Amino acid sequence: MKLHFLGTGSSYPTTKRGVSSLALQQDDGSVWLFDSGEGTQIQAQKVTVSRQKINKIFITHLHGDHMFGLPGLLCTISSQFGLTEEQLKKEVPRVDIYGPKGLRRFIYTALSLSRSPLIFQYCVHEMVPVSSQYTEDWGDWDVDHSEPSATHPSELPGVTIEPSVTEDGNVAETSFFLTFYVIFHFFSIDNDEWCVQAGWIHHRVPSFGFVINERDRAGTLDKSKLMSLGVKPGPVYGQLKSGKSITLENGDIITPEMVVGPPIRGRTLVILGDTSDASPLAHMIKSCDVVVHEATHDDNLMDKAAEFGHSTPSQAVAFAKGVNAKVLLLNHFSQRYSPSSKESLKEGEETVALLEEQAQAAAAGSGMSVQCADDFFVYEVPGTGRASMRV
């Protein structure tokens, strides 16, 4: 599993850096995209990730530097599929898109006004924000976030995702369940490997973070012990690994506990949208392998960051410590900070090295690894017991 940072800047793309977009490449080759800022369709063509493998897109919030690139990306994906009419008759590709309420209207308007056909089908599943996500002046700008009455020719019905409800029947203003075995069951898609939840976080517009939990896998079979017990290789091995006991011809019962090792822990990733405070979703995370957190400004500009709903390196570290993260990857940098790979700097120009130094100082003694991600940085999320790899 790899994280490909396609764009790591804030506000607008420059010749030095693109804006927010992150691709999660699964072990099976499929790709989930998180945010699609302006120019993502270009950034995506500079990496080894296959655009045609993108089957899920998650939009954290409706600011332009996180979604302006989405209509163009969808059109690029469509034009590069290269499927014949015969292939399309057998199976039409599909992309599921998740994001805040209003996302469907944005996509429909952009694709319909430009009369852009797509070779694949898409669904938009909208999360309904809770009251805590709206600023006091939200109503000063009257914008229609409702769903359009019409549909794009390639659009399938999506699901409106409401906040979870507590045992007493009240709305839990902290998390939205995108649990795949529930959502995907609705669409008759079999996926029991992942559970994804969204939680709201503080920003100037409704913004979300995504908690991605890989389900634990069954432990390793002790084949030598199985042979010593007289169990020959065959379908019974699968039964034992799935948690079922078997009975031998002599009447002996072999239970999974006798021959299967402890479960292999699934990985947990936390990918956040823009935020000045991500604590509302911290309760959803006991520990995690990786946190991707914004650090728009350095610690000396904390007031400026707060004014615009953003964070600094030390604030990102504080959140990551609170959820027992092993690795913290920082992104969404103000364009005032040049990429760390830039060789020549103008007088007074700063790089993200300053942000990384501040984050590492804040994380000192915690055992947590901290790094700023430049565009096209790749982080391989290790499996249990493996070392991480960075490219």
Side-chain angles (χ1 to χ4, degrees):
M1 184 195 303
K2 296 179 181 178
L3 289 169
H4 296 259
F5 288 81
L6 306 182
T8 57
S10 66
S11 298
Y12 53 89
T14 70
T15 56
K16 302 175 184 176
R17 183 190 287 120
V19 285
S20 295
S21 188
L22 171 64
L24 173 60
Q25 187 176 31
Q26 307 280 4
D27 293 334
D28 64 1
S30 61
V31 178
W32 297 356
L33 190 71
F34 292 82
D35 286 334
S36 181
E38 186 178 358
T40 294
Q41 66 196 90
I42 298 173
Q43 298 289 90
Q45 294 180 65
K46 297 178 181 179
V47 298
T48 57
V49 175
S50 171
R51 275 82 61 197
Q52 293 74 42
K53 293 291 186 179
I54 297 174
N55 56 23
K56 292 171 184 59
I57 299 174
F58 300 85
I59 301 299
T60 60
H61 63 292
L62 301 185
H63 272 157
D65 57 335
H66 294 257
M67 66 156 186
F68 276 170
L70 184 53
L73 176 69
L74 294 175
C75 292
T76 298
I77 293 172
S78 179
S79 66
Q80 294 180 347
F81 258 118
L83 298 175
T84 65
E85 289 187 15
E86 207 57 42
Q87 289 173 314
L88 289 171
K89 288 178 182 178
K90 295 179 180 178
E91 183 178 6
V92 178
R94 168 182 167 149
V95 177
D96 286 281
I97 306 171
Y98 300 83
K101 192 161 184 62
L103 180 60
R104 186 187 161 219
R105 175 171 286 274
F106 169 73
I107 296 172
Y108 168 79
T109 302
L111 295 180
S112 296
L113 287 179
S114 60
R115 294 182 177 269
S116 299
L118 299 176
I119 201 171
F120 60 87
Q121 295 177 318
Y122 74 91
C123 283
V124 182
H125 312 289
E126 293 187 315
M127 294 177 286
V128 180
V130 296
S131 60
S132 301
Q133 293 180 268
Y134 296 110
T135 56
E136 292 182 0
D137 61 352
W138 183 260
D140 294 348
W141 191 345
D142 187 15
V143 179
D144 186 2
H145 287 74
S146 66
E147 296 188 35
S149 56
T151 58
H152 184 274
S154 298
E155 184 180 4
L156 296 173
V159 172
T160 299
I161 303 170
E162 301 283 353
S164 58
V165 177
T166 60
E167 291 182 358
D168 57 9
N170 295 318
V171 172
E173 294 206 348
T174 46
S175 61
F176 294 70
F177 290 90
L178 311 185
T179 310
F180 278 11
Y181 69 85
V182 174
I183 292 297
F184 289 171
H185 175 71
F186 180 85
F187 296 119
S188 299
I189 296 176
D190 184 20
N191 188 328
D192 59 357
E193 295 183 8
W194 297 96
C195 172
V196 179
Q197 291 176 276
W200 75 272
I201 51 183
H202 290 284
H203 190 46
R204 292 182 296 135
V205 299
S207 186
F208 296 89
F210 295 96
V211 182
I212 306 156
N213 290 297
E214 181 183 32
R215 301 191 188 283
D216 292 345
R217 290 176 292 159
T220 304
L221 282 173
D222 188 336
K223 294 181 180 178
S224 60
K225 189 170 184 179
L226 282 164
M227 294 296 287
S228 68
L229 292 170
V231 184
K232 297 179 181 180
V236 292
Y237 277 23
Q239 293 176 31
L240 287 164
K241 195 160 185 177
S242 66
K244 299 177 181 178
S245 298
I246 63 169
T247 302
L248 302 182
E249 292 181 0
N250 62 6
D252 290 345
I253 297 176
I254 308 297
T255 65
E257 292 75 19
M258 297 168 62
V259 293
V260 180
I264 300 171
R265 184 184 63 82
R267 292 163 287 188
T268 298
L269 290 74
V270 179
I271 299 176
L272 304 177
D274 288 3
T275 183
S276 58
D277 177 13
S279 63
L281 60 61
H283 75 286
M284 299 161 56
I285 314 158
K286 294 180 180 179
S287 63
C288 63
D289 296 88
V290 183
V291 168
V292 178
H293 196 299
E294 69 131 288
T296 307
H297 295 289
D298 70 78
D299 286 334
N300 299 314
L301 296 174
M302 193 171 291
D303 290 342
K304 182 178 179 66
E307 179 184 357
F308 292 96
H310 293 300
S311 297
T312 68
S314 64
Q315 290 173 308
V317 169
F319 173 82
K321 281 183 177 179
V323 297
N324 301 309
K326 296 177 182 177
V327 175
L328 170 63
L329 302 177
L330 300 176
N331 68 346
H332 197 268
F333 311 117
S334 166
Q335 301 294 6
R336 68 187 295 150
Y337 307 103
S338 296
S340 58
S341 58
K342 187 172 175 60
E343 296 179 1
S344 58
L345 297 173
K346 298 178 182 178
E347 185 177 351
E349 192 173 15
E350 296 174 318
T351 73
V352 294
L354 170 63
L355 302 166
E356 189 166 286
E357 289 171 5
Q358 292 176 347
Q360 289 176 344
S366 67
M368 180 171 59
S369 173
V370 177
Q371 185 168 353
C372 287
D374 281 333
D375 285 13
F376 311 121
F377 169 74
V378 180
Y379 178 81
E380 183 167 341
V381 185
T384 305
R386 292 188 299 173
S388 63
M389 294 177 61
R390 301 172 187 185
V391 182

